[in-house]
Amino acid sequence: DAGITQSPRHKVTETGTPVTLRCHQTENHRYMYWYRQDPGHGLRLIHYSYGVKDTDKGEVSDGYSVSRSKTEDFLLTLESATSSQTSVYFCAISATGTTYEQYFGPGTRLTVT
Amino acid sequence: GENVEQHPSTLSVQEGDSAVIKCTYSDSASNYFPWYKQELGKRPQLIIDIRSNVGEKKDQRIAVTLNKTAKHFSLHITETQPEDSAVYFCAASINGNKLVFGAGTILRVKS
């Protein structure tokens, strides 16, 4: 597995609270991604980053924000968690704009009660 | 935007038989098509991918074919084994970013 870790691995939180998930990589890859996985939907892109401080929206970005202040870290924040954001969140990385292959982290299971 | 449809949603095969999973995409500009395998409780693992300048790619028992005209691509697994049992996802993108995934296929290999 590529050097990708996610923290926390499991979290239970209440509706309305802020939550931050962290993705850390040791591969020095330029691109980092956040996906959510829900039954019947496969994986859906939330946000991605193509460099430090450079981010863009994916197909399900509403309710989420991201930040990347260092190459190795990509943070996903739920400003005010809702029950519809209960999901498994995966981070992924890829090396360059021409390499294309994305490798996934172990995932974070988030439950919003 | 891109839309990827994947069929079938579940597939059961006897050990040693072949399995085929098909995906269609909507955006003719898409040029990168990876396949991922996900075991229960694990992360998705890239198993094979193909770019639009290639019609077929093989890696041991796994192959992927691409028909750009019809906008569909398929995963072929030959001589299936119990350890092939997993959920398989196809995806499509333009230049590797913003992967759009299919909904997944549960493959069960019966021994």
Side-chain angles (χ1 to χ4, degrees):
Chain A
D1 291 330
I4 313 168
T5 57
Q6 293 184 230
S7 58
R9 294 293 313 281
H10 303 271
K11 186 171 182 65
V12 179
T13 192
E14 293 184 349
T15 298
T17 60
V19 177
T20 296
L21 308 183
R22 178 180 183 237
C23 177
H24 178 77
Q25 58 137 336
T26 58
E27 305 293 326
N28 200 34
H29 282 1
R30 177 182 173 188
Y31 290 78
M32 298 184 76
Y33 310 83
W34 277 109
Y35 294 88
R36 61 177 289 173
Q37 184 173 35
D38 306 290
H41 289 279
L43 294 109
R44 292 180 290 176
L45 181 66
I46 304 170
H47 282 281
Y48 73 101
S49 169
Y50 47 96
V52 173
K53 301 191 187 304
D54 294 322
T55 65
D56 198 1
K57 295 180 179 180
E59 59 181 301
V60 291
S61 59
D62 288 347
Y64 302 93
S65 62
V66 290
S67 66
R68 192 168 178 202
S69 59
K70 298 184 291 184
T71 298
E72 57 266 34
D73 289 325
F74 193 32
L75 304 180
L76 177 71
T77 297
L78 291 66
E79 300 292 346
S80 178
T82 68
S83 59
S84 64
Q85 293 175 312
T86 292
S87 187
V88 179
Y89 291 85
F90 285 99
C91 173
I93 63 174
S94 65
T96 71
T98 57
T99 305
Y100 293 10
E101 294 88 350
Q102 293 187 23
Y103 299 96
F104 283 81
T108 294
R109 182 172 296 277
L110 177 67
T111 302
V112 184
T113 61
Chain B
E2 175 67 276
N3 182 53
V4 176
E5 295 190 355
Q6 183 172 345
H7 299 280
S9 56
T10 60
L11 179 60
S12 290
V13 298
Q14 203 67 34
E15 182 178 359
D17 288 349
S18 295
V20 181
I21 303 170
K22 299 180 179 179
C23 289
T24 60
Y25 61 99
S26 61
D27 190 342
S28 57
S30 290
N31 60 358
Y32 176 64
F33 308 93
W35 285 90
Y36 286 84
K37 174 184 179 183
Q38 188 178 29
E39 297 174 351
L40 188 64
K42 304 289 188 180
R43 72 188 78 189
Q45 297 269 13
L46 179 67
I47 57 172
I48 195 167
D49 58 8
I50 193 168
R51 302 194 185 197
S52 60
N53 58 346
V54 175
E56 183 177 3
K57 184 176 179 180
K58 290 183 179 180
D59 183 3
Q60 299 183 351
R61 297 186 297 108
I62 293 173
V64 57
T65 58
L66 172 64
N67 184 327
K68 287 189 295 183
T69 302
K71 290 190 285 187
H72 67 70
F73 56 111
S74 300
L75 178 71
H76 305 254
I77 306 174
T78 59
E79 301 173 11
T80 54
Q81 302 168 3
E83 52 264 38
D84 294 328
S85 295
V87 182
Y88 291 81
F89 293 97
C90 64
S93 79
I94 302 171
N95 296 335
N97 282 315
K98 295 189 174 184
L99 284 177
V100 177
F101 284 82
T105 296
I106 300 171
L107 174 64
R108 297 190 182 95
V109 180
K110 298 174 288 186
S111 57

